[in-house]
Amino acid sequence: TQKVGDALEHLDRAVEIEPRDHLAHHYLGMALTHQRRYTEAVEHYEVAIEINDGYHQAYDSQARLRAVLGDPRIRDGRKAVRLAEKACAITGSRYESYLHTLSMAYAADGRFAEAVTTAEKALDLARRHDKQSMAAQIEAHLALFREGRAVHSG
């Protein structure tokens, strides 16, 4: 969309002006993800982490892409697990979305028992936080994990 294109232009400029701004890199990665420019998005998520290794959002964003994308240049279950575990460790596993990402990463790495256990924790949190649409998405993914299947998109 035009709005995302405009955002990309501004974020590119922000990164030029302040190349050590982890937020600018993360938001640029998000905009690139929206435009399905995944390789570039991953690069910006990695830079955000290099700049601020405690910035959990960039770990989660990159882990999610590496866990679910079909593109073999991006998909990497083992790396997705490491990234998602770091996001959960930084935040004390209190975000259902990060646990959901971790469950997808485990599945992408063929670790389905861990994917099921982690997805169940994410589902419990989503229900407790009254996040119905997230709970429904986690339930759908949980069914895949129980069948020994990973989530694929893109």
Side-chain angles (χ1 to χ4, degrees):
T1 67
Q2 181 61 38
K3 288 182 181 181
V4 174
D6 291 344
L8 272 172
E9 187 178 317
H10 292 291
L11 289 165
D12 270 332
R13 184 76 180 119
V15 166
E16 279 179 32
I17 293 168
E18 191 58 58
R20 302 291 302 159
D21 183 340
H22 68 281
L23 293 173
H25 281 283
H26 183 243
Y27 293 135
L28 182 53
M30 291 171 59
L32 289 164
T33 296
H34 187 76
Q35 289 202 328
R36 299 178 187 265
R37 293 167 56 187
Y38 302 121
T39 303
E40 293 170 84
V42 164
E43 291 170 5
H44 285 283
Y45 295 144
E46 287 176 348
V47 171
I49 290 167
E50 287 172 17
I51 295 167
N52 181 349
D53 70 351
Y55 185 57
H56 51 89
Q57 292 96 328
Y59 286 99
D60 182 72
S61 296
Q62 186 181 167
R64 190 167 285 251
L65 286 182
R66 291 192 178 281
V68 303
L69 286 180
D71 184 339
R73 295 170 300 164
I74 306 287
R75 191 173 181 93
D76 183 337
R78 187 165 293 133
K79 188 165 189 171
V81 167
R82 283 195 310 271
L83 292 161
E85 285 178 338
K86 180 75 172 185
C88 288
I90 292 168
T91 60
S93 296
R94 69 180 180 268
Y95 295 120
E96 61 277 347
S97 62
Y98 290 5
L99 287 169
H100 185 208
T101 299
L102 180 56
S103 71
M104 291 186 288
Y106 283 141
D109 198 35
R111 296 162 61 178
F112 294 103
E114 289 166 287
V116 167
T117 301
T118 305
E120 288 170 343
K121 290 176 189 172
L123 181 58
D124 180 57
L125 278 176
R127 287 177 175 155
R128 281 196 276 146
H129 295 151
D130 201 30
K131 295 185 176 177
Q132 305 304 332
S133 66
M134 176 167 280
Q137 187 179 45
I138 295 168
E139 285 176 327
H141 292 162
L142 190 52
L144 288 175
F145 305 155
R146 287 183 173 135
E147 295 171 358
R149 296 171 44 208
V151 176
H152 292 277
S153 73

